[in-house]
């Protein structure tokens, strides 16, 4: 290359969580001498290491879309970047992207059974909490809950209820017995 032209023109670069996978997507508008992309992951946003390679299209003047799926990440915040490598070894890095995932399975409800007054603990991100009765009707809802939340449904009849904690596109249901 003449050193003046960039090997590729980046289009959109995105990363998001979909269940057990973090999906990294990117597009190129043009490619010159583009051999491959190396997908890199970091737990701290500073130290990156390779987790996979996707072949480039060499020389291209049309939009190309790429995708890489990472299903070995740790929950929490994970950072990604893409290193584009030319046939002659020259390379350039994309912007750094972050994906935040939390496991809502860690949410605790206690005491359980209870008298209609209980605490939901260990809510690691801002969540929405909904209480459903045994036939699935919503009887109680609260938005923007974090860390722990005291619930009082003692004015409702005794029986089985379900606590639904929603964080992003993850939801957890916990059965609660009110005596």
């Amino acid at each position: 290359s003449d050193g003046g032209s960039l090997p590729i023109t980046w289009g959109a670069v995105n990363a998001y969580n979909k269940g057990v996978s973090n999906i990294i997507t990117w597009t190129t508008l043009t490619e010159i001498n583009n051999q491959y992309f190396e997908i890199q992951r970091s737990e701290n946003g500073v130290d990156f290491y390779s987790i996979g390679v996707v072949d480039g299209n060499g020389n291209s003047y049309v939009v190309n879309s790429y995708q890489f799926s990472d299903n070995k990440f740790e929950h929490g915040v994970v950072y990604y970047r893409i290193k584009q490598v030319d046939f002659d070894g020259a390379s350039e890095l994309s912007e750094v992207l972050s994906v935040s995932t939390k496991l809502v399975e860690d949410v605790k409800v206690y005491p359980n059974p209870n008298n209609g007054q209980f605490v939901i603990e260990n809510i690691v991100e801002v969540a929405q909490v909904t209480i459903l009765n045994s036939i699935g009707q919503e009887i109680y809802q609260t938005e923007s809950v974090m860390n722990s939340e005291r619930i009082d449904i003692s004015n409702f009849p005794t029986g089985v209820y379900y606590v639904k904690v929603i964080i992003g596109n993850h939801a957890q249901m916990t059965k609660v017995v009110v005596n």
Side-chain angles (χ1 to χ4, degrees):
S1 92
D2 60 11
S5 62
L6 289 174
I8 67 167
T9 308
W10 295 97
V13 183
N14 291 298
Y16 60 94
N17 174 260
K18 190 173 183 183
V20 296
S21 297
N22 283 343
I23 312 290
I24 301 97
T25 64
W26 65 100
T27 59
T28 61
L29 308 181
T30 61
E31 300 185 20
I32 300 165
N33 201 22
N34 177 28
Q35 186 175 7
Y36 64 90
F37 298 96
E38 179 183 289
I39 293 81
Q40 300 179 345
R41 181 206 300 138
S42 170
E43 275 70 48
N44 60 13
V46 177
D47 305 302
F48 284 85
Y49 51 93
S50 176
I51 58 169
V53 167
V54 173
D55 285 338
N57 275 295
N59 294 295
S60 169
Y61 299 93
V62 296
V63 174
N64 286 293
S65 298
Y66 298 90
Q67 180 170 312
F68 183 86
S69 183
D70 176 19
N71 47 20
K72 296 191 172 64
F73 61 91
E74 297 293 315
H75 282 277
V77 179
V78 187
Y79 300 90
Y80 296 99
R81 72 184 184 194
I82 304 159
K83 180 182 183 181
Q84 179 273 325
V85 182
D86 271 10
F87 285 105
D88 62 10
S91 65
E92 69 169 307
L93 294 168
S94 74
E95 63 191 293
V96 173
L97 305 163
S98 65
V99 178
S100 174
T101 61
K102 296 288 199 269
L103 284 175
V104 294
E105 286 77 8
D106 297 337
V107 173
K108 307 274 184 287
V109 175
Y110 77 92
N112 188 12
N114 58 59
N115 62 0
Q117 297 179 319
F118 54 93
V119 175
I120 306 167
E121 274 242 311
N122 205 21
I123 301 169
V124 289
E125 267 189 46
V126 176
Q128 179 191 73
V129 173
T130 304
I131 312 290
L132 310 171
N133 64 17
S134 59
I135 59 170
Q137 295 168 318
E138 291 188 11
I139 61 156
Y140 182 100
Q141 184 174 322
T142 179
E143 303 272 346
S144 303
V145 176
M146 195 160 175
N147 301 320
S148 68
E149 179 80 358
R150 293 191 169 277
I151 305 288
D152 185 345
I153 55 167
S154 54
N155 54 325
F156 287 94
T158 57
V160 173
Y161 292 86
Y162 294 91
V163 174
K164 184 178 186 182
V165 177
I166 303 163
I167 297 173
N169 55 357
H170 298 275
Q172 180 199 352
M173 293 277 266
T174 305
K175 185 175 166 180
V176 178
V177 177
V178 176
N179 296 329

